[in-house]
Amino acid sequence: MSVVLENCTVVDGRIQPIEDAAVRVVGERIAAVGPRERVLAEAGGDATRIDLGGAWVTPGLANMHTHLSLTLPGAAGDRLKRMGPHELALYMADGARRTLHCGVTTVRCVAEKDHADFALRRSIDAGRTPGPRIFTAGRALVCTGGHGHESSDTLECDGVDGFRRGVRQQVKAGADLIKVMISGGIAGEHESIDTRQLHPDELAAVLRTAHDWGRRVTAHAGPAPVITEAVELGLDCVEHGYELTAELAALMAERGTALVPTLLVTRCKAFFDELGVPEWMQQRSLGAGERHLKSYELAVAAGVEVLLGSDMPPFWQFEGTSATVRELEHMSAVIGPERALHAATLGPVRWLRAENDLGTVEPGKYADLIAMDDNPTVNTSAFRGVRWVMKGGAVVRDDRAGVRP
């Protein structure tokens, strides 16, 4: 089946905007992109035509720090912890649907409960459940009593052999990457952000084992000394990075270590209030906000690859938009809208090694596309107006036609 999307401007951060454009989709993939008249002529008269009403079309967004089974301290988290496996699966499926409908067509899950993420991915891939493309770490690896140990989305390990086994268990389950907690964090009551939680030999075992299996490693991490050690050992990505220094940022840029800053986690009081998060965690989080932003600015200045990741559920309505878009707006305030588009599309896809299939609007890629009425290369807030979503050649949201999330 051939579908032509027309009356639009195409932009993907890689090319100059194509005005009065058309995109031809055959099956799940893009077959042609270019000026409307040329694409229509090549398509012939049998193609189904979809008028996008002058919209701007970009690749679907990729959120690199996702927890579809997130539980934080507080009343809402306690309710989620009481869910049985069947209820949890349905809860995560609902979150996946909401995520897709808000324009996020790819997610990287970085710790989910009970390996439910693998079942969800299989269901999405089989077409039984609407949702984004899922790349997942399975359960995050922690030391005994380490960050997040109280939840079934982590696996407690100790010693070199224990962490090697932990990596292999995630790979066995189907993990695309490995997540490890190497320092304390905001949500741990009996730790601080700068608490070291792995010995160098344990971290080296994680990195060596994961890399031997062809998996990249990302680390929950806050303090500069712990991150410096990890980068020198070969870490591929840092989550949060609350306390970077100029020297560490330069090292990350030199070694090609990416940063997913998750700026929202230190500037989201309304979200915490909604979930009933206790005061001790709110104070720790919001109190780290200024230093967190400075770390991000240092990384950008050094040339570190920065990638979109919200930590909050991607679809969550927050400050007038989704958490994904709000995070991207915070990022854009420092890097500008064009680089923000890259940080939300091709940048994440390259880290995931999926650029042959995703991340741009060009022939051969999956037709994972979103449309909005304003130009996102001029103002990132254009993504607040996403009104049309396609994944794999199927329209899953079309506000004008009444196909709404």
Side-chain angles (χ1 to χ4, degrees), residues 74-96:
D78 290 343
R79 287 193 296 272
L80 188 55
K81 288 176 184 177
R82 291 193 293 268
M83 288 183 180
H86 309 302
E87 189 176 3
L88 177 66
L90 292 170
Y91 176 87
M92 292 175 65
D94 178 64

Side-chain angles (χ1 to χ4, degrees), residues 254-332:
E254 176 189 336
R255 299 294 181 89
T257 308
L259 172 67
V260 180
T262 67
L263 297 171
L264 278 183
V265 301
T266 56
R267 40 195 41 82
C268 61
K269 178 170 175 51
F271 174 68
F272 288 154
D273 288 344
E274 186 176 352
L275 269 60
V277 170
E279 186 62 25
W280 66 261
M281 180 176 164
Q282 293 209 30
Q283 290 181 2
R284 181 183 294 177
S285 169
L286 303 176
E290 185 176 350
R291 183 68 177 87
H292 189 189
L293 180 59
K294 178 64 175 177
S295 294
Y296 171 62
E297 291 171 342
L298 288 171
V300 170
V304 174
E305 178 86 348
V306 293
L307 307 172
L308 169 66
S310 63
D311 205 346
M312 288 170 57
F315 58 86
W316 204 274
Q317 287 301 297
F318 181 70
E319 296 184 349
T321 187
S322 69
T324 300
V325 173
R326 192 69 188 101
E327 174 70 22
L328 192 59
E329 289 174 332
H330 282 303
M331 295 179 71
S332 181

